[in-house]
Amino acid sequence: MSVLFADNLRFFDTTLRDGEQTPGVSLNPEQKFEIASRLSDIGIDVIEAGSAAASDGEREAIRRIADAGLKAEICTYVRALREDIDYAADLGADSVHLVIPVSDLHIAKKLRKDREQVAKMAYDAVEYAKSRGLIVELSGEDASRADQAFLHEIFKGGLERGADRLCFCDTVGLLTPEKTAEFIPPLAAIAPLSIHCHDDLGFALTNTMAALKAGANCAHVTINGLGERAGNTPFEEVVMALEALYGYQTRIVKEKIYPLSSLVSRHTGVPLAVNKAIVGEMAFTHESGIHAHGVMRDPSTYESVKPEMVGRKRRIVLGKHSGTASVEAALHEMDYNADEKQVKEIVKRVKQLGDEGKRVTDADLMAVADAVLSIECKPVIKMRQFTATSGSHMIPTASVTLVVNGQEMTGAATGDGPVDAAMEVLRKCVSDVADIRLEEYHVDAISGGTDALVEVTVRLSKDGKIITSRGARTDIIMASVEAMIAGMNRLLRDRT
């Protein structure tokens, strides 16, 4: 364990409270319960399940989470109001995150009170929460802009009245590592101390790490850095920074990080930035020839941590930056045998596709290789006809007639929409030949307007083999069908 940090650092996750305050995010009780269960399983110490005063649905979710017997401590956010504290106790929470404004700006402008009045509010609330049998984490809102002597006074008075833990809140992200090193040690010396940072100026992770180094023993975090404005300190980044950079064993089940990140992104509707550390789509993806070549020889050449550590896999993608090594590796995986001259020509054509702004899929590479190696690719599947119907008072339905290995097949299927129905009927029609699964579906608009050209990329699998394929039309359904058929042909074709 690193000597820079306190023993047994803790994680207080506020995805279900501060994270849900991300504009446009609203989780139902079932979604909150599923996320809470996964947070407990991954090793989170405290789950802030929400703010009970917010709504009936919020109270339902908190009660369900509190009654589930999860390993994590279940906490709720409360103001210095008896009603809030009663909700927390009556719903079965273990603890409260009691937030008190401590900067003169917040005291005067938000509460329209003075310091003495705020101190009395804090002390009365702590005493009442303890009388209801709750663990109390007393939190100073806007602490980074507060008079530190007053903050210390509030915290000391709260501890004298029974508060169990303290929390320093950098509410609008104005803390710096230098101020952190100055402010945190005196507070950490009097009680267990949490650090709660926002990322308005991009310093949330840096300040959180500085606070932990300065004596704080708990990090407030959210999955994917969700939160108001620019968000909160990302859980996954704190964990991996501690593990990879400082050699600190966090007790977090790291292999579950990416699945949890994906679940939260799906439930909240907040997509991950493609270049986000640890969990972004490109975090373990390589295209550049030099990088891809190095990674294939030794992953540590261009990866700080192994993707498997966080539940991910490495990806080598092809494009204009690809080199010979990555193209050769892809060809080998697809069972092509090409000599040096042929590989050179294939690399040239791949780069040309990249220069045209195209995403080079597996189907593209196979088509290029077939042309260069003079392989005749007779399609296994040909489409005779296709129809799709959808409307406000009907179930989306698709029907298709295919010729598969010379045999005509007709089928129909329903789905959540016409595209989903189309994907399903195509899979059904070839199910007697092979079990082909749709692993991923992605659509991009190439141009603007209602007649925009759209590009659909699908990721298909069969017997453990995975390929990507693309279709481009002004009709999203036909582009999807085109991509699906092209990919299925590549998976089913016989090149012998």
Side-chain angles (χ1 to χ4, degrees), residues 118-185:
V118 167
K120 186 176 187 309
M121 287 171 52
Y123 302 155
D124 289 348
V126 169
E127 290 178 340
Y128 187 67
K130 294 306 295 182
S131 76
R132 293 300 316 264
L134 294 161
I135 299 168
V136 176
E137 179 153 328
L138 178 60
S139 196
E141 184 180 14
D142 205 27
S144 48
R145 290 191 289 187
D147 175 350
Q148 296 302 298
F150 175 64
L151 175 64
H152 195 281
E153 177 187 327
I154 287 280
F155 278 172
K156 188 174 181 182
L159 290 170
E160 289 171 352
R161 288 160 178 82
D164 302 276
R165 306 189 293 254
L166 306 174
C167 179
F168 186 104
C169 288
D170 182 29
T171 303
V172 291
L174 291 174
L175 201 58
T176 65
E178 293 78 15
K179 288 181 180 178
T180 304
E182 176 187 348
F183 294 163
I184 295 301

Side-chain angles (χ1 to χ4, degrees), residues 11-21 27 32 35-36 39 44-52 58 61-62 65 72-79 93-99 137 139 165 167 169 196 198 220-222 232:
F11 290 94
F12 180 114
D13 186 273
T14 182
T15 302
L16 300 179
R17 198 275 298 176
D18 221 338
E20 196 186 14
Q21 291 173 198
L27 298 167
K32 295 193 82 162
I35 292 171
L39 289 170
I44 289 292
D45 298 282
V46 184
I47 299 170
E48 189 171 27
S51 173
E58 191 84 339
I62 292 170
I65 292 167
E73 175 187 312
I74 306 305
C75 179
T76 67
Y77 169 95
V78 297
R79 299 162 294 178
D94 301 306
S95 62
V96 289
H97 180 206
L98 172 58
V99 179
E137 179 153 328
S139 196
R165 306 189 293 254
C167 179
C169 288
H196 179 112
H198 283 258
H220 280 213
V221 293
T222 61
N232 291 41

Side-chain angles (χ1 to χ4, degrees), residues 256-275:
K256 295 183 178 181
I257 286 177
Y258 184 62
L260 175 56
S261 168
S262 299
L263 174 74
V264 170
S265 177
R266 186 168 68 252
H267 281 341
T268 60
V270 179
L272 294 167
V274 295
N275 62 339

Side-chain angles (χ1 to χ4, degrees), residues 238-259:
V238 178
V239 171
M240 295 313 298
L242 286 167
E243 295 263 358
L245 299 179
Y246 294 97
Y248 185 94
Q249 300 301 310
T250 62
R251 297 176 286 110
I252 294 296
V253 185
K254 297 182 293 296
E255 295 80 4
K256 295 183 178 181
I257 286 177
Y258 184 62

Side-chain angles (χ1 to χ4, degrees), residues 236 240 244 254 257-258 273-287 291-292 295 299-300 302-317:
E236 58 280 355
M240 295 313 298
K254 297 182 293 296
I257 286 177
Y258 184 62
V274 295
N275 62 339
K276 190 183 185 310
I278 312 300
V279 293
E281 180 183 348
M282 299 302 175
F284 298 99
T285 299
H286 308 272
E287 178 185 326
H291 286 205
V295 164
S300 65
Y302 287 102
E303 289 178 350
S304 56
V305 298
K306 295 178 180 179
E308 294 80 10
M309 286 181 67
V310 293
R312 303 203 62 181
K313 292 183 178 180
R314 181 179 302 107
R315 291 177 61 222
I316 305 294
V317 299

